[in-house]
Amino acid sequence: MKAFEKNIRKVEPYVPGEQPRQTVIKLNTNENPYPPAPGVRRVLKGMDTDRFRLYPDPAAGDLVAALAGYYGVGEDQVFVGVGSDDVLSMCFLTFFNSEKPILFPDITYSFYKVWADLYRIPYECCPLDEDFCIVKEDYFRENGGIIFPNPNAPTGLYLELSEVEGIIGRNRDVIVIVDEAYVDFAGRSALELIEKYDNLIVVQTFSKARSLAGMRIGYAISNPLLIRYLNDAKYSFNSYTMSQAAIACGVEAVKDKAYFEEGIRKIIKTREWAKGELKRLGFSCLDSKANFIFATHPKYDVKKMFEVLKDKARIYVRYWGGERIEQYIRITVGAKEDMDALLGFLEGYLPAMERAEDLSD
Ligand code: PMP
């Protein structure tokens, strides 16, 4: 080992889902199958590219104002960043500086562990119960902060707002971050609690329900004090996080409420139908309220299924393995045609898988 190695910050990075360059049916990273609001195309086409020689507005003021207007909060209550990953990473850096461990579920968004390691934040994981639910009481102990997604990922299970409030209310001395990347497909947001609890931060994204994963836009909403601390950290790191194009697209997406709501309605409809179809094929699915379905099959090895889907059908879903979820795959809810292709392939393939297993007996 070289002498300098000991001073290098080594981390085990987050592994994002594959983004294959060839055309495939992509149900692996919870992207939205529909295009963003039509105004996004219009605004991009009309952009004055001469302005790209200038830095963007470091405060992304237009986007902050649009979000503040949409959610009925002050502009000093909104923080924006390059996807919610950027926002969450800033939150970890800013708010989790205790000697005590932060808490998050054992089965959850795998980036939390990576940021904790990167920033040297001690953490402890609270096991989900046997039904993969978050147990509120596990968070009623001393800690240095709390984060969980609602709905949780990759389970898709939504925790009722009263339970979320129970966790926030019992932890008034630390910051509680509710990661609501998928809440638009689910139910009530913890944004309702922002005025009541000064220790709460809600983080959301444009990547899922707003169909803008490629533009990288995320945001946090909280009280002005916590937002100021977040901005102080951001301006100590990188002032110009959001491009002019991302700011303009974000503003357009927020303006079109009808399009946003219609897109959500379509995805929820496909999700509920697809859950039924998967069950018909013998799968058991968690009752996801997100834009993905976490499924297992009592008879077949889903890891094999994941590989076959990819290699033979060019259908990409997500598989992690690991304790308690080694027999689960996560399927993003795509357009109806994509789900038809997936289900059609599985229907033909499962009997062949059974025959192959019989032969190998
Ligand atoms: N939180 C959760 C729970 C997620 O699944 C994701 C998507 N990978 C993110 C945050 C980050 O999404 P983005 O950076 O695209 O906003």
Side-chain angles (χ1 to χ4, degrees):
M1 190 170 98
K2 296 270 193 189
F4 55 67
E5 283 245 4
K6 72 176 190 312
N7 295 324
I8 292 177
R9 187 180 291 260
K10 299 183 191 74
V11 281
E12 199 179 311
Y14 172 72
V15 184
E18 280 177 85
Q19 295 291 351
R21 293 172 74 185
Q22 68 279 33
T23 312
V24 301
I25 295 181
K26 211 171 159 303
L27 304 174
N28 67 336
T29 50
N30 300 342
E31 289 139 331
N32 196 309
Y34 305 111
V40 169
R41 177 193 288 258
R42 255 194 324 270
V43 82
L44 267 185
K45 274 192 157 174
M47 277 200 98
D48 174 8
T49 51
D50 287 358
R51 279 187 58 85
F52 288 177
R53 68 194 176 76
L54 302 175
Y55 284 110
D57 170 11
D62 291 345
L63 182 58
V64 166
L67 284 165
Y70 187 86
Y71 290 107
V73 297
E75 291 182 25
D76 55 359
Q77 290 181 265
V78 181
F79 173 85
V80 293
V82 186
S84 54
D85 281 341
D86 179 39
V87 175
L88 289 165
S89 143
M90 279 294 127
C91 287
F92 270 62
L93 182 65
T94 309
F95 300 119
F96 293 161
N97 287 294
S98 169
E99 311 267 277
K100 293 177 198 152
I102 61 164
L103 305 178
F104 49 82
D106 61 342
I107 298 169
T108 194
Y109 187 32
S110 50
F111 226 141
Y112 300 161
K113 191 174 164 309
V114 175
W115 288 313
D117 285 339
L118 176 67
Y119 296 133
R120 313 275 194 261
I121 301 165
Y123 64 90
E124 278 172 19
C125 294
C126 303
L128 300 181
D129 70 13
E130 65 276 16
D131 299 321
F132 291 109
C133 296
I134 288 177
V135 183
K136 163 179 89 194
E137 291 74 18
D138 287 351
Y139 298 83
F140 295 175
R141 59 183 154 114
E142 267 214 286
N143 65 74
I146 291 174
I147 178 158
F148 57 91
N150 196 30
N152 194 8
T155 62
L157 296 182
Y158 172 76
L159 191 64
E160 288 303 327
L161 198 58
S162 54
E163 302 282 294
V164 173
E165 180 166 9
I167 294 177
I168 302 162
R170 284 288 288 260
N171 287 282
R172 300 301 296 265
D173 294 339
V174 297
I175 302 298
V176 178
I177 303 170
V178 185
D179 174 358
E180 293 191 336
Y182 303 101
V183 81
D184 301 314
F185 307 105
R188 285 166 68 190
S189 161
L191 282 173
E192 287 182 37
L193 306 173
I194 286 291
E195 296 302 324
K196 193 164 167 194
Y197 296 98
D198 60 3
N199 59 326
L200 168 65
I201 300 218
V202 177
V203 177
Q204 296 191 358
T205 181
F206 281 56
S207 298
K208 314 297 175 184
R210 294 193 189 275
S211 296
L212 278 170
M215 270 291 153
R216 313 301 300 124
I217 308 172
Y219 54 100
I221 299 186
S222 184
N223 57 70
L225 180 69
L226 296 192
I227 294 299
R228 203 171 67 230
Y229 283 128
L230 262 182
N231 271 312
D232 287 347
K234 167 197 150 161
Y235 288 122
S236 312
F237 204 86
N238 176 7
S239 311
Y240 305 108
T241 52
M242 306 204 58
S243 71
Q244 291 175 19
I247 294 170
C249 291
V251 169
E252 285 306 314
V254 175
K255 275 187 199 161
D256 202 337
K257 190 158 187 252
Y259 185 87
F260 171 63
E261 287 173 350
E262 175 60 11
I264 292 168
R265 198 192 55 73
K266 284 194 287 194
I267 288 170
I268 292 177
K269 188 165 171 226
T270 310
R271 177 187 75 201
E272 296 307 314
W273 164 80
K275 274 187 212 165
E277 290 299 292
L278 285 165
K279 280 185 195 144
R280 191 174 59 76
L281 296 179
F283 284 87
S284 148
C285 305
L286 300 190
D287 189 19
S288 170
K289 300 289 184 216
N291 67 338
F292 53 81
I293 300 168
F294 205 45
T296 184
H297 201 295
K299 270 167 77 179
Y300 306 114
D301 179 20
V302 298
K303 178 159 193 266
K304 177 90 199 306
M305 211 181 288
F306 156 80
E307 280 156 6
V308 170
L309 276 169
K310 184 167 145 179
D311 299 341
K312 296 224 184 329
R314 290 190 169 279
I315 298 175
Y316 282 52
V317 298
R318 194 93 198 256
Y319 174 81
W320 285 273
E323 223 178 302
R324 291 175 71 198
I325 58 168
E326 67 278 357
Q327 278 307 319
Y328 278 84
I329 46 173
R330 190 195 67 187
I331 304 163
T332 299
V333 177
K336 174 83 169 37
E337 314 81 86
D338 296 339
M339 303 311 276
D340 275 334
L342 170 84
L343 293 160
F345 179 83
L346 286 175
E347 192 149 26
Y349 168 73
L350 293 181
M353 199 164 173
E354 187 155 18
R355 278 198 303 279
E357 281 177 10
D358 285 348
L359 288 176
S360 63
D361 277 346

